Amino acid sequence: MGISRRTALKASLGSAVAAFAAPVVARAADSGWAALKGQTIVVNWPAHPHYEAAKKLLPDFTAATGIKVELDEMQYLRMKDAQVLQMSKPQGDYDVVVYVIMWKTEYVQRQFLTELEPLFADERLAMKDYDRAGIIKAYYEGLGLVGGPRGYLPGPGAKLYGIPYGAECSVLAYRKDIFARHDLTPPRTYDEMLAAARVIKDKEGGMGGLAQRAQAGHQVTAGWLNHLSPYGGQVIDDRFAPQVAAAPALRATEVYKTFIDTGPAGGAAFDFGQCMNAFLQGQAAMYCDTISIFGPARDPARSKVTDTVGYLVHPKAVRHSGELGGFGMAIPRNSGRRDAAFAFIQWMTAAAQDVRVTAQGGQPTRWATLDHPDVKKIYPVDVYRQCLEISNPDWRPIINEWTEISEKVLGLRLSEIATGKAQIGPAMETAASEIKAVLTRAGYYKT
C-alpha cells in the first residue's frame, strides 16, 4: 500500500504549524502513556476540510506523547476498500481508521473494530479529564454506538466502537446579496426554497438555485436523502419493508428533481466537492448539505463569496429534520499498537484540541467548543445549535446492506431520474423491489 513507518509525517505534514498558540496537553496528565513513546502509528483518514485543519495538530501530538504518526490520506469513498483489506488480515497496517457513519454497523458485525469502553476503564490508558459527557450527544451516539435498536441506534445492546471526529449535520447556506436583489425570503420552508430556486434560475444568468449532490452511486443517494427525511419519508420501516415508492418518498424525489432542473449547469453529475465548489464559486445561490461548508466559505483561497453568505437551519417540509453523519475514529482489532492508537484518538478529540481544530475551520465535537470566544468569532454558533436540535440519527438505515442499497440500487435509479432517463414513479417502484430482494437475500424477513 506504499506506507513506510520510517517516512512518518514528511510528505503529509510538511511545515504545518498551528494557526494560534495553545497549550500542549497530555504529557503529565496521562502518565501511562510514557511507555508508548517512540511508537509509530498509521492513521487512515480522508481528504476533507476538517482533516486538513486536524493535520496541523499532529506535530503537537508527537511532541506531547512521543508517538509518531503516519497518514494514509485518501478521498473518503476510497477508504472503505483500503480499510477492509487491512482489517481482514491477521495484523493490518492501520492502527486508527476513520470511518464514514454508514460503515460502522458492518465493521462491527464483521468484528473489525475494538470496543472502546474497556479501554476507557483502563486507568493506564484513559486520559484524565477527557470528559466524554462533553461530546455532543447526538454525535457520540450516532457515530460511536453500534448494536442497539435497528442495530445502529442508542439503546439496549449498544456499545461504543468509535469517537466522532468530523461529525456533521446539515445546514442551509445562501447568498444574502442574491436574495436581497430579487426580494426573496431567506428560506425557512421547502416551499420558500423551491420558489427561490426557480426565480434565481430564471433571473440570474448563469447561476443555479441549489447546488446538491447527484453523481451516480453514493452521491446521488446522499443528495436525495437530504430531502427525504424532511418530507417524512423512510428508506425502510421498522419491519424492513421498503418505503422508497411511498407517497412521502415520491414527493421528496419530485422536489429533488426540481432542484436538479433549477440548479447550476452540470449539477446532475455533481459529487460532494463539486456541489460545495459550485456554491463557493458563485455558480449557485444555495447549498443545503453538511456544515463542512463553514470553514471553506470563510477562506478567500477557496471562496469567491466570503462576505455574502448567510446560514439557516435546514428548511422545514412536513417536519424539521436534518442530516446527522460524518466521520468517526476507531481502532482496528488487528492493530499491533492499540494503546498508542487509543492515546491518539483521545488526544485529538479532547477539549483543547476541539477548540483548536474548529477555530481553524474544522467541525466541533463538543458543546463547550461552541462557547469559546475564538470559535464564536468565526462560527454561526446559534444556527449550528438549531441544526443539531433537528438532526435525525435515523435519516437512513445503517444496516450491513446499506452500501449495496445506496450505491447499486438507489444510486442507479435516482441517477436515472436526475438525468431524465427514467420517470420518478416507475424508477422508485423498481428501487423498492430491488431493495426488498437485497433484504430477502440477507434474511431480514422471517417466514
Side-chain angles (χ1 to χ4, degrees):
M1 54 180 268
I3 297 176
S4 166
R5 292 181 181 274
R6 293 184 292 273
T7 60
L9 300 170
K10 184 175 180 181
S12 57
L13 295 181
S15 59
V17 179
F20 61 92
V24 174
V25 300
R27 188 191 305 275
D30 304 280
S31 57
W33 294 3
L36 307 175
K37 184 177 180 179
Q39 292 190 28
T40 298
I41 60 172
V42 174
V43 179
N44 177 243
W45 79 16
H48 181 274
H50 175 82
Y51 286 86
E52 287 299 314
K55 204 183 294 186
K56 300 173 185 177
L57 275 59
L58 297 184
D60 285 348
F61 169 75
T62 298
T65 65
I67 302 168
K68 299 177 183 179
V69 180
E70 294 181 15
L71 290 183
D72 188 23
E73 185 177 48
M74 59 184 65
Q75 198 275 338
Y76 79 94
L77 289 179
R78 292 180 51 230
M79 293 193 305
K80 186 179 183 184
D81 287 344
Q83 290 173 2
V84 169
L85 174 65
Q86 293 301 323
M87 293 190 295
S88 298
K89 298 178 179 180
Q91 181 170 324
D93 291 334
Y94 293 151
D95 304 300
V96 174
V97 293
V98 171
Y99 57 83
V100 185
I101 188 173
M102 57 199 176
W103 307 338
K104 67 171 187 172
T105 307
E106 177 185 351
Y107 280 7
V108 172
Q109 291 292 326
R110 297 178 71 173
Q111 300 185 346
F112 283 159
L113 301 183
T114 299
E115 186 187 345
L116 297 184
E117 198 65 52
L119 302 185
F120 276 112
D122 188 334
E123 293 184 358
R124 297 178 307 108
L125 300 176
M127 185 175 179
K128 295 178 178 62
D129 302 321
Y130 178 73
D131 186 22
R132 276 192 281 169
I135 297 173
I136 294 169
K137 183 179 180 181
Y139 289 161
Y140 182 85
E141 293 180 344
L143 279 147
L145 299 182
V146 179
R150 288 165 69 92
Y152 53 87
L153 296 172
K159 295 181 179 181
L160 183 69
Y161 288 92
I163 298 295
Y165 199 59
E168 61 195 24
C169 55
S170 54
V171 69
L172 175 68
Y174 71 100
R175 287 282 301 278
K176 294 185 290 186
D177 55 335
I178 301 299
F179 273 70
R181 182 181 303 163
H182 299 289
D183 196 26
L184 293 169
T185 300
R188 298 186 181 277
T189 69
Y190 263 79
D191 286 345
E192 291 171 345
M193 189 159 58
L194 286 162
R198 294 185 180 103
V199 169
I200 291 162
K201 184 69 171 182
D202 183 52
K203 295 186 176 180
E204 282 288 327
M207 179 179 284
L210 177 70
Q212 57 185 355
R213 306 188 220 186
Q215 186 182 78
H218 159 76
Q219 299 288 348
V220 70
T221 304
W224 171 76
L225 284 168
N226 256 335
H227 310 304
L228 179 66
S229 185
Y231 277 94
Q234 295 178 291
V235 176
I236 56 175
D237 64 18
D238 289 341
R239 296 185 177 183
F240 300 97
Q243 298 297 307
V244 298
L250 295 179
R251 177 56 182 153
T253 310
E254 292 169 359
V255 168
Y256 178 67
K257 182 64 165 69
T258 298
F259 284 134
I260 292 288
D261 294 342
T262 58
F270 279 180
D271 63 14
F272 174 64
Q274 291 167 313
C275 163
M276 180 183 289
N277 194 59
F279 179 75
L280 297 179
Q281 297 303 307
Q283 298 164 15
M286 293 180 288
Y287 160 102
C288 189
D289 208 295
T290 81
I291 60 162
S292 56
I293 189 73
F294 289 153
R298 294 181 55 255
D299 183 357
R302 295 193 61 182
S303 174
K304 294 181 178 179
V305 297
T306 53
D307 299 323
T308 64
V309 180
Y311 296 101
L312 291 169
V313 69
H314 192 131
K316 180 181 180 181
V318 300
R319 64 177 180 175
H320 261 134
S321 182
E323 170 207 356
L324 188 146
F327 303 99
M329 289 202 292
I331 304 170
R333 288 186 65 179
N334 64 358
S335 165
R337 286 152 294 276
R338 184 201 67 177
D339 293 356
F342 186 53
F344 174 81
I345 289 176
Q346 291 177 93
W347 193 93
M348 291 295 288
T349 61
Q353 280 64 256
D354 200 51
V355 171
R356 295 176 67 194
V357 77
T358 304
Q360 296 178 77
Q363 296 163 204
T365 300
R366 295 174 173 274
W367 282 116
T369 299
L370 298 178
D371 294 323
H372 194 282
D374 288 337
V375 173
K376 283 185 172 182
K377 291 175 185 176
I378 63 172
Y379 225 80
V381 170
D382 291 341
V383 170
Y384 183 59
R385 289 181 184 275
Q386 295 172 38
C387 292
L388 282 166
E389 288 174 4
I390 68 155
S391 63
N392 178 8
D394 200 19
W395 67 296
R396 41 77 186 95
I398 313 174
I399 56 177
N400 287 9
E401 295 72 27
W402 177 242
T403 297
E404 180 179 0
I405 291 169
S406 172
E407 296 182 5
K408 297 181 179 180
V409 177
L410 291 170
L412 172 61
R413 302 306 168 197
L414 289 167
S415 178
E416 292 173 342
I417 292 168
T419 56
K421 296 177 181 177
Q423 296 299 309
I424 291 173
M428 298 309 281
E429 288 284 358
T430 299
S433 297
E434 292 171 336
I435 292 169
K436 188 167 185 178
V438 170
L439 298 181
T440 299
R441 186 182 71 234
Y444 279 82
Y445 307 120
K446 307 300 182 183
T447 56

